[in-house]
Amino acid sequence: MTEGEEDDGAAERKMRFLFSLRQQGMTDARVLSAMEKIDRGRFVRGIFAERAYEDMPLPISCGQTISQPSVVALMTQMLHVGPRDTVLEIGTGSGYQAAVLSCLARRVYTVERHRRLAQEAREIFNALGLSNVVAIAGDGSRGLPDQAPFDRILVTAAAEDPPGPLLSQLKFGGIMVVPVGQSDAVQSLIRVTRTQTGYDYEELRPVRFVPLIEGMAND
Ligand code: SAH
């Protein structure tokens, strides 16, 4: 089957997917239209692909997970991304979250410690013609000093505290959304806003993410 010829079942699953996001309070029209445009099914492989439109995290390569769509929607909404923003994402994983961000921002850099995941994400971005998103293999706990500072930073792996290098790579007035807490416990999603004099912190909701691990992985 080629694109545009998908069966009615898939079309219906996609409709339900968007409906359930709206029901869960995702009201930001730009975020919803980005999530309508980016097909989550492209980022999930093998036996899990048919569950791509269910609201659950799913396994991807390298023992990692693609986040739950309602969490992607919430984090994207909380980040308040504008069309002129340069965004840094830490934790490319499947590339899905970065692809959603690329519909909203001027430019997106996404950093992943597994080279294989960064490479696979790059291939999907190319196939989808997303030219303003770059996947970089690197240790995201150090941020991306070459391209800093950023208007927005989204961390999709949990740190014990917001990493210092990421705080310092945020522009004044910039926003970072990051899950914080111990990896084996419930974590809190935090929104940090950089002001002229320091940082404001807001706790958004409990979440559960894989840990942010320092250094590169072997694959
Ligand atoms: N945003 C992803 C899901 C992220 S899962 C998506 O849309 O699919 C978290 C990812 O963070 C994993 O792929 C993990 O390898 C990565 N990660 C953990 N620590 C990291 C670090 N220090 N630097 C870069 N990536 C990291």
Side-chain angles (χ1 to χ4, degrees):
M1 217 167 354
T2 58
E3 224 169 332
E5 274 181 21
E6 68 190 4
D7 61 279
D8 291 349
E12 178 166 350
R13 285 201 296 278
K14 286 184 195 174
M15 249 169 66
R16 280 182 203 278
F17 173 77
L18 290 162
F19 182 70
S20 97
L21 293 177
R22 283 200 180 86
Q23 262 188 331
Q24 291 180 68
M26 304 308 147
T27 49
D28 186 320
R30 290 183 68 233
V31 174
L32 286 168
S33 95
M35 292 190 68
E36 197 169 344
K37 185 168 161 215
I38 301 298
D39 185 352
R40 190 171 184 250
R42 297 293 292 261
F43 297 83
V44 184
R45 285 160 201 240
I47 55 165
F48 295 106
E50 64 189 42
R51 312 193 79 166
Y53 309 110
E54 292 176 29
D55 193 20
M56 53 167 69
L58 294 169
I60 54 170
S61 312
C62 305
Q64 303 303 315
T65 50
I66 176 171
S67 309
Q68 195 174 341
S70 56
V71 172
V72 171
L74 176 80
M75 293 203 296
T76 309
Q77 192 162 293
M78 293 306 163
L79 204 59
H80 291 162
V81 181
R84 289 198 301 270
D85 288 348
T86 299
V87 182
L88 173 66
E89 182 200 25
I90 305 302
T92 311
S94 66
Y96 176 61
Q97 171 75 74
V100 169
L101 289 169
S102 79
C103 300
L104 301 167
R106 187 175 64 82
R107 195 158 190 79
V108 178
Y109 296 95
T110 178
V111 181
E112 171 57 55
R113 66 189 288 277
H114 289 276
R115 287 184 188 82
R116 178 172 161 199
L117 289 174
Q119 178 59 32
E120 287 176 359
R122 241 175 254 136
E123 285 164 15
I124 303 174
F125 299 153
N126 280 339
L128 296 180
L130 303 175
S131 54
N132 64 337
V133 51
V134 183
I136 297 153
D139 176 4
S141 62
R142 296 156 185 265
L144 194 60
D146 290 354
Q147 305 296 339
F150 300 97
D151 300 287
R152 299 289 183 264
I153 300 179
L154 180 59
V155 188
T156 63
E160 280 184 32
D161 293 299
L166 297 183
L167 288 171
S168 66
Q169 289 172 30
L170 201 54
K171 282 188 192 166
F172 291 107
I175 298 173
M176 168 157 73
V177 172
V178 51
V180 295
Q182 304 286 343
S183 60
D184 51 353
V186 173
Q187 307 136 3
S188 278
L189 193 63
I190 304 281
R191 177 162 57 192
V192 184
T193 306
R194 184 167 195 180
T195 66
Q196 288 299 328
T197 50
Y199 298 89
D200 286 342
Y201 294 85
E202 248 174 291
E203 210 171 312
L204 302 173
R205 61 160 258 195
V207 281
R208 193 152 190 179
F209 278 87
V210 300
L212 186 75
I213 300 171
E214 284 187 24
M216 290 295 291
N218 294 325
D219 53 354

